[in-house]
Amino acid sequence: MTNKEGILLILSGPSGAGKGTICKSLLKETDIQYSISATTRKPRPGEKDGREYFFITKEEFEKKIQEDAFLEWAQVYDNYYGTPKKFVEEVLVSGKDCILEIDPQGAQKVKGKKPDAVYVFIAPPSMQELKNRITNRGTENTLEINKRLNCAKEEMLSMHNYDYVVINDKVETAVKKIQAILIAEKCRIQRNKLYCI
Ligand code: 5GP
């Protein structure tokens, strides 16, 4: 008999490290459920409510905090982001693996509640490369770019709180590494409650 609960996979790391790109690519090739977060940030061009995020107001977000509806939530730069608790629980109980793509504050909060989850830190190849990526994606102004870079320096120091680090120099390689991590985690003795003779 095996333990049927799914694995909760946390992808975290500094803004610009490529978590989003890796996550999208991983979802195409892996049988894992993505947890759509709620945010108070405004949708960017091309983003759709209920696909990238649930775009809600600050008031709605605060109400959800009161209702204890989030597994974790954090203020990231000027907006709130939160992981819907019920959805994640339902996915895991159904036996499916679930992926969260969240910032390092959020990952730390989940750790207090879900010690069995798998924590993967996505790191940029270098700080210069991180700067190039944030600048080139063109979604932030200079002030915001500098805010993210300062924050990233601190976030890099939180790497030791994770189970694995994946350096994102090439998306395909990073995805393969995460798939390998998932396979290895599924083979852990603790996750397989076998009958012993
Ligand atoms: P963006 O606004 O660029 O989509 O995301 C900004 C940051 O918020 C990223 O680092 C992203 O991983 C993080 N983020 C997205 N959803 C959540 C969430 O539910 N909780 C937390 N703590 N961070 C999140």
Side-chain angles (χ1 to χ4, degrees):
M1 194 182 78
T2 53
N3 181 1
K4 291 280 188 235
E5 180 134 327
I7 291 180
L8 181 60
L9 181 71
I10 318 290
L11 283 198
S12 192
S15 170
K19 307 185 291 277
T21 314
I22 291 177
C23 194
K24 270 196 203 103
S25 184
L26 185 74
L27 285 167
K28 280 189 203 142
E29 300 170 26
T30 317
D31 187 20
I32 190 164
Q33 181 69 52
Y34 177 65
S35 161
I36 302 168
S37 298
T39 183
T40 59
R41 145 162 109 53
K42 296 276 169 289
R44 294 184 184 130
E47 286 184 334
K48 204 173 147 210
D49 185 44
R51 189 178 62 193
E52 281 79 11
Y53 287 104
F54 295 109
F55 295 99
I56 62 177
T57 63
K58 195 165 176 250
E59 290 69 35
E60 286 168 326
F61 198 98
E62 282 165 352
K63 188 162 174 270
K64 284 183 186 294
I65 295 173
Q66 295 306 318
E67 292 166 353
D68 196 25
F70 293 124
L71 174 60
E72 64 73 36
W73 66 271
Q75 187 176 353
V76 188
Y77 311 113
D78 300 323
N79 292 297
Y80 289 119
Y81 294 81
T83 303
K85 184 159 68 177
K86 190 163 172 273
F87 177 81
V88 172
E89 291 303 346
E90 283 173 1
V91 171
L92 296 177
V93 166
S94 79
K96 214 168 171 200
D97 301 330
C98 186
I99 186 165
L100 309 186
E101 190 255 277
I102 60 179
D103 90 308
Q105 303 171 69
Q108 206 49 44
K109 288 184 189 166
V110 179
K111 204 157 188 201
K113 295 181 182 170
K114 296 272 181 199
D116 283 357
V118 181
Y119 295 83
V120 179
F121 190 89
I122 307 293
S126 66
M127 291 309 278
Q128 183 56 47
E129 179 58 23
L130 186 75
K131 187 175 181 181
N132 296 346
R133 286 181 190 175
I134 300 178
T135 310
N136 293 342
R137 73 183 178 189
T139 47
E140 282 88 17
N141 60 34
T142 313
L143 190 75
E144 282 169 346
I145 292 171
N146 288 334
K147 226 195 260 183
R148 277 162 170 71
L149 285 174
N150 285 331
C151 210
K153 283 179 194 148
E154 276 192 31
E155 288 170 343
M156 292 297 285
L157 300 174
S158 72
M159 203 193 286
H160 65 275
N161 294 323
Y162 292 72
D163 300 312
Y164 300 92
V165 59
V166 170
I167 297 170
N168 182 22
D169 37 16
K170 203 162 169 244
V171 175
E172 303 89 90
T173 316
V175 168
K176 281 201 185 100
K177 286 181 181 171
I178 297 166
Q179 286 172 325
I181 290 169
L182 256 182
I183 293 170
E185 284 292 330
K186 281 182 193 292
C187 296
R188 272 192 190 277
I189 295 289
Q190 300 95 303
R191 296 194 194 274
N192 291 274
K193 290 182 185 156
L194 303 170
Y195 283 118
C196 298
I197 302 169

